[in-house]
Amino acid sequence: MKSRNLILLLICTVFLQLSLPAQKKKANKSDGGERLDIKFGKITASDFDLSKEKFDSGANAVIIADIGDAKFEGNSKGDFSLVFTRFMRVKILNKNGFKIADNRIPLYHSMDGRNEKLSSLKASTFNLENGAVVETKLDEKSVFVEKYNKNYDIKKFSMPALKEGSIYDISYTVKSDFYSRLNPWSFQGDYPRLWSEYQVTIPTMFHYVMHMQGDPHFDVNTSKSVFQTFTVRESNGASSDDVYNISSNSMQQRWVKKNVPSLKDEPFTTSISNYLSKVSFQLHYIQWTETSERHDFLSTWFIACDKLLKDEDFGLALDKDNHWMADELKGVTGDCKTYDEKIHKIFCFVRDNFTCTDHDAIYARSSLKDVYKRKSGNVAEINLLLIAMLRHEDVLADPAILSTRDNGFADQSYPLIDQYNYVICIAHSGDKIYKLDASQPYNGFGKIVLDCYNGEARIINKDKPYLINLSPDSITESKLTTVFIVNDDKGNPSGSFQTTLGNQESYSVREDVKKTSEKDYFKKIQTVYGSDVSIGNQEIDSLTKFDYPVAVHYDFDLKNLLAADVIYFNPMMNEMYKNNPFKSLERHYPVEMPYKMDETYVLNMDIPKGYRVDELPKSARVALNGTDGMFEYLIQNNENSIQMRVHLKLNKAFFPTEDYSTLRDFFGYVVKQESEQIVFKKIK
């Protein structure tokens, strides 16, 4: 802390000491909140019995207590530090719960040498043996450090002597010089929690934006003013240190949730982490007194973009020292006549010649030249290389950062860069804008994978840091299937099947075939049909033409169709929805479909020779919430043939919780209708 700020703090001290008596009296009042009497290592045989506690009977482990505390203290650098302490007690219920005992503590460090430090780590496992509690302590040598990225190291350790029924305690402290990084707290997660508590004590000069997520109910929710004195020491080199005692009111907030259920995945949920009960903080500003200068910490996207573009691990290399690309790109763009051609060819070159080793990164770990030499890199490295090559060829291109679906939503209100985990390229050609991702090996030009459609991406441009819409509501997955069934010269029914897939399903087919083979792909289809149908003349079109949709074609024989006097035949040919994707009676989270949907199925069928139609499903039309979607099932027959057209369409991808029942009923109707069969009877 600079001397000017220390003077301000001293002024603040005098001000607070003069105005404090009434407030100090208030701070001594009890907040009335219930507290848990629990201490590290204080375990008796009775603590192993949780039969009276209420939690999910199917849980593999249960968190008995998870208690966190964040507060400030003066340090020896003329500034303040954040001190975060945590105590956790867990019981392992079965072997499937051992995973919770793998612990990871992230520690942040900056490029200027400041870092977070872990101290006072204690961890012990307790087992009940012959009625006695036996403790096994964690060996310090079993704690490992993993370098996660440029700003994070991870302290990793696993609890020793684990058995079914074990209890373990963990306690540690993290001291941090980054008071802009006040620890968030999750009251909920993968395992049930009997007691989850967080207390935060913030001096009044620090102002944070607090964000609450999930269930707003707390068993304890208190707030009170407390009086604190901080000792701040500032080194003067050879001279004696300056020591300041700074007094301040602080706001202490405490939250407790009891008997918190675990989060359970439900179908069509983008990321369950978006809905857990959580509190997080962002430093807004520091103001030492009501009349002193205000120091803002909440950055703008203009400032954040400028910093990212000057970061040597992100944007600095996009335009710098890339003359080496000239020779490399001659053979790629030499015959291009338009910018569109350049963009297309450079994209295909990077996509087809570089392998992505990590799809969870926004920073480069190597220089772009090194990435080029080894022909591999993380998603940031590959797409930053793509951008640099485009810029080298005078194409306007920018990086865009986003948070993938499995990473959860990113808050667009403030530039919280840690919430982002993916980089794509935005290229411009006249009025056209192309979204490009060369890290995915089967991506077509101008297409990105489904996991990127999670709200919005932020263009990293210091003058125009605008948003790109990547909502699932912005894409439609279309599918057209046509089936023809005819009677051959001998009167035996046979047919042809062809389906043209949408972008996302095309990607999945390409990925599936790459992992196995076309033969295995069609073998799965044959298995689904069983012995009553035999398929042949199989073909997959555009398997390696990534700019086009995949089309799957095969012929088939219905060899056992005419074996009975009465034939039951489902005209959907295994293309129907066999089960309702929404099985639960109730839904706790919104339904987040991956895209809008437009599926059409067409059947033209000769009536089997020697048979007549005895029963035909009825045609039907039904709407979903007026204009949210529709299902149309049209079928008719004449003397010799049957024509059928089934059309399922969803006009939006996001459905709030209150729409769940209607959506569930809609798909229930689809499943029922598509299971209807045609009944043929032999003519006698």
Side-chain angles (χ1 to χ4, degrees), residues 352-369:
D352 298 340
N353 291 282
F354 293 80
T355 301
C356 186
T357 57
D358 182 4
H359 281 103
D360 186 358
I362 66 165
Y363 292 105
R365 298 176 183 173
S366 305
S367 70
L368 297 186
K369 192 169 185 177

Side-chain angles (χ1 to χ4, degrees), residues 73-91:
E73 68 175 24
N75 61 30
S76 59
K77 303 173 185 178
D79 205 343
F80 284 85
S81 294
L82 266 172
V83 181
F84 172 74
T85 59
R86 185 178 189 181
F87 167 78
M88 184 165 66
R89 176 170 291 177
V90 176
K91 181 173 183 183

Side-chain angles (χ1 to χ4, degrees), residues 115-134:
N115 53 43
E116 294 180 334
K117 293 183 179 179
L118 176 67
S119 63
S120 306
L121 173 62
K122 295 189 297 182
S124 292
T125 300
F126 303 89
N127 289 297
L128 195 59
E129 298 179 6
N130 299 320
V133 178
V134 177

Side-chain angles (χ1 to χ4, degrees), residues 332-333 335-349 386 390 393-396 427-436 445-446 547:
V332 179
T333 62
D335 59 347
C336 293
K337 296 179 176 59
T338 66
Y339 281 115
D340 293 83
E341 286 184 83
K342 281 186 179 181
I343 297 169
H344 190 276
K345 288 202 171 185
I346 293 174
F347 165 75
C348 291
F349 171 76
L386 170 63
L390 290 170
E393 297 300 297
D394 298 322
V395 174
L396 179 60
H428 302 261
S429 177
D431 295 333
K432 288 176 280 191
I433 298 176
Y434 298 107
K435 298 185 286 286
L436 305 174
F445 180 68
D547 294 345

